[in-house]
Amino acid sequence: MDEVKVVVAHSERVTLRVGDVFLKVDADQARIDAEVEAMSLAAELDAECEGLVTNGVLPAELVTRNRQVAEAALRPWTPAFTHGDLQIAHVFVDGEEVTGIIDWSEAGQGDALYDLATFTLGHQEHLEDVIAGYGTDLDVIHAWWSLRSLLVVRWLIEHGFDPFAPGCEVDVLRSRM
C-alpha cells in the first residue's frame, strides 16, 4: 500500500497524496470550483493542441509556443461579470459613444481580461487604446489570445469559417512566435 503524505495543511485546506493521486479538502467551495474549472480548461487545451498537430492543422512549433504563452491566462483572477464573447460585431457605436452591446448569451462570472482579449483579438493595433486605464498585464491579454485561438481553430474549420484568413486566429497565433 502507498504511503499517505500531507502536501499542504492549514486551517483553510489540506492536500494529501497517495501514490500518484492527490486529494484536496478545502473549506471554501468557490476555491475548489475555480481549481476544477482551471484544470478542465488546461485539459481541454492539451487535447485541442494535440489534435491540431496530429491532424496536421497547424505546425507543432506554432502550437507549442502558443501553448506556452497561454499558460499566463491560467492564473488566479478576481471574478467579474463578463460578456463572454465581447467582439466588435457585438458593440454598437454612434461617433465615439457606445450605444449598445448585444449577444449576452455567454455572459456570466469570469476573468475580465478575457473580455478585453476577445475584444482585441486580431486587432493588436488597438490594444493599447482599449486597455488604457486598466493597468492590465499585456502578457495575460496575449495569453488569452493564444488560448482562445488554439481552442477555436478546429471548431471554426468544422463550421465553415476560415481561421487562416488575414487577421484571424492563425495570424494571432503567428504573432506570438
Side-chain angles (χ1 to χ4, degrees), residues 5-16 23-28 31-32 35:
K5 294 182 182 179
V6 176
V7 178
V8 175
H10 49 77
S11 62
E12 293 180 353
R13 61 188 153 274
V14 62
T15 303
L16 306 172
L23 172 65
K24 184 170 188 179
V25 179
D26 195 310
D28 184 347
R31 280 194 302 253
I32 293 290
E35 285 189 41

Side-chain angles (χ1 to χ4, degrees), residues 37 41 73 75 77-78 80 82-87 106-121 136 140-149 151-152:
E37 184 178 341
L41 178 59
R75 78 213 190 290
W77 43 268
T78 302
T82 61
H83 183 277
D85 190 24
L86 188 62
Q87 52 183 290
E106 296 181 40
Q109 191 175 35
D111 182 352
L113 295 184
Y114 177 79
D115 268 356
L116 292 178
T118 301
F119 191 66
T120 58
L121 184 74
T136 299
V140 175
I141 298 290
H142 296 157
W144 277 119
W145 286 351
S146 291
L147 183 72
R148 185 179 188 278
S149 295
L151 289 175
V152 302

Side-chain angles (χ1 to χ4, degrees), residues 32-48:
I32 293 290
D33 293 344
E35 285 189 41
V36 169
E37 184 178 341
M39 287 186 287
S40 69
L41 178 59
E44 179 186 359
L45 179 60
D46 289 340
E48 199 63 43

Side-chain angles (χ1 to χ4, degrees), residues 97-137:
E97 182 181 341
V98 174
T99 59
I101 300 174
I102 63 168
D103 192 4
W104 291 87
S105 62
E106 296 181 40
Q109 191 175 35
D111 182 352
L113 295 184
Y114 177 79
D115 268 356
L116 292 178
T118 301
F119 191 66
T120 58
L121 184 74
H123 302 284
Q124 186 165 350
E125 69 278 10
H126 298 295
L127 178 59
E128 293 291 332
D129 295 329
V130 170
I131 66 165
Y134 284 96
T136 299
D137 182 353

Side-chain angles (χ1 to χ4, degrees), residues 62-70 146 150 172-173 176-177:
L62 183 67
V63 172
T64 300
R65 171 64 183 137
N66 278 277
R67 176 65 180 87
Q68 292 167 343
V69 171
S146 291
L150 287 167
V172 170
L173 294 171
R176 299 295 100 212
M177 293 301 285

